[in-house]
Amino acid sequence: MSNLRIFAVNHKKISSLHIDNVCCSKIRANLRRLKLHLPHGRNYSSLPGIIGNDVKSLHSIISPPITKIRNIGIMAHIDAGKTTTTERILYYSGYTRSLGDVDDGDTVTDFMAQERERGITIQSAAVTFDWKGYRINLIDTPGHVDFTLEVERCLRVLDGAVAVFDASAGVEAQTLTVWRQADKHKIPRICFLNKMDKTGASFNYAVESIREKLKAKPLLLQLPIGEAKTFKGVVDVVNKEKLLWNLNSDDGKNFERKPLLEVSDPQLLKETTEARNALIEQVADLDDEFANLVLGEFSENFDLLPAEKLQTAIHRVTLAQTAVPVLCGSALKNKGVQPLLDAITMYLPSPEERNYEFLQWYKGDLCALAFKVLHDKQRGPLVFMRIYSGMIKPQLAIHNINGNCTERISRLLLPFADQHVEIPSLTAGNIALTVGLKHTATGDTIVSSKSSALAAARRAERKGEKKHRENNEAERLLLAGVEIPEPVFFCTIEPPSVAKQPDLDHALKCLQREDPSLKVKLDPDSGQALDRTLGDKRHLVTVELEAKPLETSSLQPVIDYAQSVTQDLSQASQEAVENGIHSACLQGPLLGSPIQDVAVTLHSLVIHPGTSTTMISACVSRCMQKALKKADKQILEPLMNLEVTVPRDYLSPVLADLAQRRGNIQEIQTRQDNKVVIGFVPLAEIMGYSTVLRTLTSGSATFALELSNYQAMNPQDQSTLLSRRSGLT
C-alpha cells in the first residue's frame, strides 16, 4: 500500500474556473430600438433624420454586391496606432462627426471601461461602414500579447488585413505573432507605416524590417514627403502624384493631389520614377500575366504603362500573398488615411475571391460561422456571424451543427462598435449580428436546416472526399473554428451566499459561450453521510477493502472483487460500492485532489437488511478514505510542452532561464533567422514566464504552452508544497 499517486487540481468543493487566455469583460449598455446612444458626448451615425443628412445611413448599403464587400482586420503590435487608425477611417468615411482619441478615452471601437481606461484594445469590436461604394466590415483587434486568442478568433473570418506598424520601431514582437497568425489563415494583407510624424520615424528602416524580420516582399506604393517633424504628405508611386494635407485643416479631410512635374519637383519626380520602375519590375517577377504585358507593349518605356494595369497586377500579387503593398502616413495627425482606404478596396480581396472549398457543397444554402458571442443585459446573447453562403433574415430558423439544435433568429443587426442598427436581411460575404440565439456558442457552424447539412454531406462524399460513418455526417461539415488549447491555469470561485449561486451559474454559462478558452467545472461532493439509524430503520454496512498502486497509468480506480463478495452482490449494491470508491478518489488526503493509478480490491462486504444504497456508498467511501490516509502517496504535477521562438542573439539567456525552471530541452530547431526551443517544463515553474521572456529578449521572443502529462514531484518539492499548504491553512 505504497506510492499512491495524486495530481493536484484544487482542494475546495466549489466551482473551479479554468482559464487559458481570458480577459475581463463588462456587460455594456445597449441601444433601445432605433434610439441613439451618445457615450462621452460624441456623435455617431444612425438612421436618417436622427442626427442630420450630412452623416451617412447604414441602410444605404444593406445589400451591396459581393464584389463590393471587404472583410478586413486591423492588426499590429500594441501602441502602433490601430485604434487611432480605425477612428480616422470611420471619420473620413462619414460615420462619425468628431475624431476620437485613445488618450482621451472616447474612441468608438474601445468601448469597454477597461479599454478606455488603459488605452488598449481588448475585445475585437466590429464596425460596418462604406467607402466610395464599397461595404467594409472592419475588426479592430488587440495588439497586447495577453489577448492573442481574440486576434485568432477574428482572423478566421476575415478576407484581408491591414498590418499597422510604428514607423520608428518597424516590426515589433507582437507584430511577428499576428503576422504568423495571418500566415496560418492565409490572409492577404497590406502594410501601413503609421506615425511617420514621430521623432525617429524612418520609412526605409521600417520597410527593411518588414523584408528582414517578416521575410515578406514589400511593394512600395507610396513614398513619404519628409519624416518626423517634416512629414507633410505622401507620394503616390503608381500614379506619380503627390498628396499634401492642408496645414490649416484640423481634421485632415482637405488635401491636394497634384501630378509631379519636372519644373516644380525635379528631385521628387526622379525618386518617384525610379521607385515606380522598380515596382513594375518587382510585380512582373511575381505575376506572369503582368510580365507578358510589360515585355510586350511597354518594355521601351514604363511611363506609358497605365496605372490601372499596374493596380490590377498588384491586386493579383496581394491575393497570391507573394508580396505586400506598403503605404505610410500618420493617423494621429490625420495624414494618409484616405489613400489607405482606397488601397483596402483596390488591393484586398472580396469574399468571392477567397477559395472556400465547402461552399460547393451547399449550393447557395445558408452556411455561416458564429465567431464571437457577446451578452447584452436587455437583448441577451448577441452572436457575430460570418455568412459564407445563403441569406439571413429576422425570424429565420437555423440549425446549429455543433449543438445539433434548431434555433430562431429574432432580429438582425449591423454592428457599429457598441451600437447596432436593425436591418431586414443580409447576404453572403457579410458579417452579421444576430439576436435571439440561446444556445449558439463561439465557433459553431450554422446552416439553414439539418436536412441541408446532410445534403451537403452527401454532395461532399460524391466529390470524392474521404468516406464517413453514418454517425458523423455532420462532423465533416463543421467550419474550422478557433483552436483552443487545453487550460493550464485555474482558480476557484464561489458565490457570497447560496442565494447568489444561480446568478453565478448563469454568469459562468454566459462567459463560456463568449469565450471558448474558458472552462468551468463543478467539483463533485464526496458525500458525507455516515452509518446511522434513520426513523425506525437501522442502516449498517461493514466493509473490508485494499488499496494498492497500479502498474499501468489509469485516471479511474481499477476495482476488483473477492470471490466471496461477488456471490451475493446485487447489481444495485455493486453500483453503490463503485460510486463510493470513485467518490473517495475524487478528493485525496493530501491536497483534496483527484487520485489516479490505484487498484482497489473489495475483500468483504456485509449489508444489514433494509440498508439503502446511499448508505452503502457513504460507508465504502469512508473506508476508502481511511485506506488512502494510511498509504504512501505521491503528488503529480502538470508538465507542459513548451515551444519558444527566439532570435539567435537571445538564445543563451533563454536556455539559462529554462534550466533554472527545471526545464527539459528536447530539441532546438532553426526557423528562418530564429531558433525554436522545444522541451518540457513544470507548470509551477512557468508562472509569469511571459513577462520574464519579454524582458530577456527585449520583447522579440514568443512562446506556446500545452499540457503534456502529469509527472511525479520529487520528495523535496512535495514536502515544500505540503508545508506551504499547511501553513496557509
Side-chain angles (χ1 to χ4, degrees), residues 526-657:
S526 60
Q528 300 300 316
L530 307 172
D531 301 88
R532 64 183 66 183
T533 298
L534 297 177
D536 58 352
K537 287 188 177 181
R538 185 186 182 197
H539 299 264
L540 176 63
V541 183
T542 305
V543 182
E544 180 183 343
L545 57 78
E546 175 189 5
K548 59 184 178 182
L550 193 64
E551 296 299 327
T552 58
S553 179
S554 174
L555 296 178
Q556 300 294 332
V558 177
I559 303 173
D560 193 16
Y561 299 89
Q563 187 174 359
S564 59
V565 175
T566 57
Q567 292 176 352
D568 301 321
L569 190 64
S570 67
Q571 180 67 30
S573 297
Q574 181 177 343
E575 291 179 359
V577 167
E578 294 181 358
N579 286 338
I581 294 174
H582 283 285
S583 176
C585 289
L586 286 173
Q587 293 179 311
L590 288 181
L591 299 174
S593 305
I595 293 178
Q596 69 177 50
D597 305 339
V598 60
V600 181
T601 303
L602 192 68
H603 292 289
S604 172
L605 178 66
V606 179
I607 304 173
H608 187 276
T611 299
S612 68
T613 55
T614 302
M615 287 300 177
I616 297 174
S617 292
C619 180
V620 171
S621 177
R622 187 176 178 85
C623 183
M624 183 68 184
Q625 289 170 352
K626 288 183 177 180
L628 292 174
K629 286 182 179 179
K630 294 180 180 180
D632 292 333
K633 297 161 285 288
Q634 193 173 27
I635 296 177
L636 301 182
E637 64 176 340
L639 187 67
M640 311 302 296
N641 285 323
L642 174 68
E643 180 178 302
V644 184
T645 303
V646 56
R648 298 171 186 268
D649 297 342
Y650 295 104
L651 179 62
S652 295
V654 168
L655 292 177
D657 178 70

Side-chain angles (χ1 to χ4, degrees), residues 377-391:
K377 282 185 177 180
Q378 295 182 348
R379 290 190 180 124
L382 304 177
V383 182
F384 284 83
M385 285 189 187
R386 164 67 195 270
I387 309 173
Y388 289 96
S389 66
M391 177 184 292

Side-chain angles (χ1 to χ4, degrees), residues 280 284 288-300 302:
I280 291 172
D288 291 341
E289 182 180 342
F290 183 69
N292 293 332
L293 176 68
V294 172
L295 294 175
E297 299 181 37
F298 306 102
S299 58
E300 298 297 328
F302 286 172

Side-chain angles (χ1 to χ4, degrees), residues 328-610:
C328 63
S330 171
L332 185 62
K333 299 300 183 182
N334 311 316
K335 295 179 176 69
V337 177
Q338 297 96 324
L340 174 62
L341 278 166
D342 292 335
I344 288 171
T345 60
M346 193 174 299
Y347 302 122
L348 291 181
S350 67
E352 68 176 1
E353 291 177 303
R354 296 277 280 158
N355 182 26
Y356 298 110
E357 185 180 359
F358 58 84
L359 289 182
Q360 60 182 320
W361 306 336
Y362 285 93
K363 300 292 185 182
D365 285 350
L366 174 64
C367 178
L369 177 69
F371 69 93
K372 189 173 181 66
V373 178
L374 298 176
H375 280 81
D376 185 287
K377 282 185 177 180
Q378 295 182 348
R379 290 190 180 124
L382 304 177
V383 182
F384 284 83
M385 285 189 187
R386 164 67 195 270
I387 309 173
Y388 289 96
S389 66
M391 177 184 292
I392 289 182
K393 295 181 178 180
Q395 304 305 317
L396 178 70
I398 55 94
H399 180 71
N400 184 326
I401 295 182
N402 301 69
N404 192 26
C405 62
T406 298
E407 300 188 79
R408 187 173 298 277
I409 297 172
S410 61
R411 297 167 64 192
L412 187 63
L413 308 171
L414 272 182
F416 184 73
D418 58 345
Q419 303 186 51
H420 312 120
V421 177
E422 191 164 358
I423 55 174
S425 66
L426 213 54
T427 54
N430 281 288
I431 290 178
L433 185 55
T434 61
V435 181
L437 301 180
K438 305 298 184 184
H439 305 290
T440 300
T442 299
D444 286 354
T445 301
I446 305 300
V447 296
S448 58
S449 64
K450 189 171 184 178
S451 60
S452 173
L454 297 178
R458 288 191 291 270
R459 293 189 195 105
E461 184 183 18
R462 288 196 296 268
K463 288 287 184 179
E465 297 288 328
K466 63 181 182 180
K467 293 183 178 180
H468 59 278
R469 299 182 298 275
E470 291 183 1
N471 63 344
N472 75 339
E473 288 177 317
E475 289 180 13
R476 54 209 313 280
L477 295 176
L478 298 180
L479 304 180
V482 183
E483 293 182 11
I484 307 298
E486 287 299 312
V488 293
F489 296 99
F490 62 88
C491 68
T492 56
I493 61 173
E494 58 183 335
S497 65
V498 176
K500 294 292 185 180
Q501 184 68 49
D503 293 337
L504 176 63
D505 293 341
H506 176 71
L508 292 176
K509 185 178 180 181
C510 292
L511 287 173
Q512 279 187 287
R513 287 186 60 194
E514 289 189 17
D515 193 337
S517 66
L518 183 70
K519 307 293 182 184
V520 178
K521 186 188 76 171
L522 182 67
D523 284 354
D525 189 3
S526 60
Q528 300 300 316
L530 307 172
D531 301 88
R532 64 183 66 183
T533 298
L534 297 177
D536 58 352
K537 287 188 177 181
R538 185 186 182 197
H539 299 264
L540 176 63
V541 183
T542 305
V543 182
E544 180 183 343
L545 57 78
E546 175 189 5
K548 59 184 178 182
L550 193 64
E551 296 299 327
T552 58
S553 179
S554 174
L555 296 178
Q556 300 294 332
V558 177
I559 303 173
D560 193 16
Y561 299 89
Q563 187 174 359
S564 59
V565 175
T566 57
Q567 292 176 352
D568 301 321
L569 190 64
S570 67
Q571 180 67 30
S573 297
Q574 181 177 343
E575 291 179 359
V577 167
E578 294 181 358
N579 286 338
I581 294 174
H582 283 285
S583 176
C585 289
L586 286 173
Q587 293 179 311
L590 288 181
L591 299 174
S593 305
I595 293 178
Q596 69 177 50
D597 305 339
V598 60
V600 181
T601 303
L602 192 68
H603 292 289
S604 172
L605 178 66
V606 179
I607 304 173
H608 187 276

